[in-house]
Amino acid sequence: ERERVRIARDLHDELGSSLTYISMSITDISQSGEANAEKLKSRIAKISGFAVRTARALDEIVWAVNPRNDSLRSLVEYLTELARELFENSDVRCRFQIAENLPEVPLPPAARHNIFLTVREALTNALKHSRATEVVLSARCSDQQIEICLQDDGVGFDPAAVPLQGERNGLVNMRQRIEGIGGRLAIETAPGKGTMIRLTLNRLISRV
C-alpha cells in the first residue's frame, strides 16, 4: 500500500505538472500568433526540455516499480547510466569506479528508491553547483556493507554557511532518506577542497 501511494504521488508530482505545462504552452503558442521567430524558437525549446524531463521521470518511475530491478547491481547500473546522461553535454568529466562482479544483493523497494533519489540529487548538485572538472561515482559491496560514493574536484563549500533554505534543505533531505532506511550519509567538503558524499548501508538491509 505504501508503494502504491508513493507511485501515485510520483506520477502526480513528476508528470502531472509537466504535462499540464506542455499542454498549456502549446495551446498558448497556437492561439498567440507569435510572429517573432527567435521568441518562438525559444518557447519551443523550453517545451522540448520539459518533454525530455517528463520522459526521464516516467522512465524512472517505471524502473522503480519493476521488481526485476530490486538489486544492488541493477541500481548501480541505472545510476551510472543516469550520470552519463547528466554529464554527457557538459564540461565535466564523469568517471566510474564500480567494483568488479558487484553482487546481486537484493534491495527492498523503499531502500532502492531512497538511494536512487539521494544519488540523483548529489549528481545534480555536482553538475549545477560544484564547478568541477571531474566527478567520480564509485560503488562497492563487502560482506558487511554497501558503499556508494560521489566525489568531485570542485569548489567545495562550508556546510555551516549553506543557507537555511534551498541547498541546506536538500542536504538534510538526503541524510534523512538514507537514515530512514538504516544507513548513514557522510558529507566531506570545504571551500576549495571539492566535495565527497558517501552513503553506507548494512548489507543485512537486503533481508528486511
Side-chain angles (χ1 to χ4, degrees):
E1 182 65 20
R2 286 196 300 270
E3 279 299 287
R4 290 174 64 187
V5 170
R6 182 186 63 75
I7 293 165
R9 183 175 63 248
D10 286 351
L11 287 169
H12 178 271
D13 294 346
E14 298 287 344
L15 302 184
S17 59
S18 292
L19 290 173
T20 299
Y21 170 83
I22 291 169
S23 175
M24 293 179 63
S25 297
I26 292 173
T27 299
D28 184 54
I29 288 175
S30 68
Q31 294 177 349
S32 67
E34 178 64 68
N36 186 303
E38 285 303 316
K39 287 185 178 180
L40 185 60
K41 183 178 179 180
S42 175
R43 295 184 68 182
I44 292 175
K46 190 173 182 180
I47 295 172
S48 176
F50 264 86
V52 169
R53 289 192 292 274
T54 302
R56 159 55 69 179
L58 179 59
D59 180 70
E60 291 174 2
I61 292 170
V62 172
W63 172 83
V65 300
N66 189 339
R68 293 177 59 187
N69 297 324
D70 285 343
S71 72
L72 175 63
R73 182 183 298 176
S74 176
L75 171 62
V76 171
E77 288 174 351
Y78 196 75
L79 288 172
T80 56
E81 183 61 29
L82 172 65
R84 286 193 184 97
E85 290 184 11
L86 279 174
F87 293 97
E88 184 177 20
N89 297 315
S90 74
D91 295 327
V92 184
R93 181 189 180 199
C94 185
R95 294 196 299 113
F96 304 100
Q97 294 179 349
I98 309 301
E100 294 184 10
N101 302 319
L102 202 64
E104 287 282 359
V105 177
L107 292 175
R112 180 164 59 96
H113 183 65
N114 281 288
I115 294 170
F116 169 76
L117 290 178
T118 300
V119 177
R120 183 182 68 176
E121 186 160 354
L123 287 166
T124 303
N125 288 343
L127 178 62
K128 290 183 176 180
H129 306 300
S130 73
R131 287 184 269 170
T133 60
E134 181 178 89
V135 300
V136 179
L137 177 64
S138 61
R140 62 181 181 175
C141 181
S142 67
D143 291 338
Q144 288 78 37
Q145 71 177 24
I146 298 165
E147 178 183 288
I148 299 176
C149 181
L150 183 70
Q151 184 172 10
D152 68 62
D153 63 355
V155 296
F157 61 94
D158 178 0
V162 175
L164 289 174
Q165 301 299 321
E167 290 94 338
R168 183 175 297 182
N169 282 344
L171 296 175
V172 170
N173 290 339
M174 291 165 66
R175 181 169 279 113
Q176 288 177 342
R177 288 191 196 110
I178 299 305
E179 291 178 351
I181 57 174
R184 178 175 179 270
L185 184 76
I187 302 173
E188 302 172 19
T189 185
K193 301 295 185 181
T195 300
M196 175 182 288
I197 295 178
R198 178 186 289 109
L199 64 90
T200 55
L201 300 100
N202 191 318
R203 183 164 170 167
L204 293 178
I205 191 174
S206 62
R207 301 179 186 176
V208 175

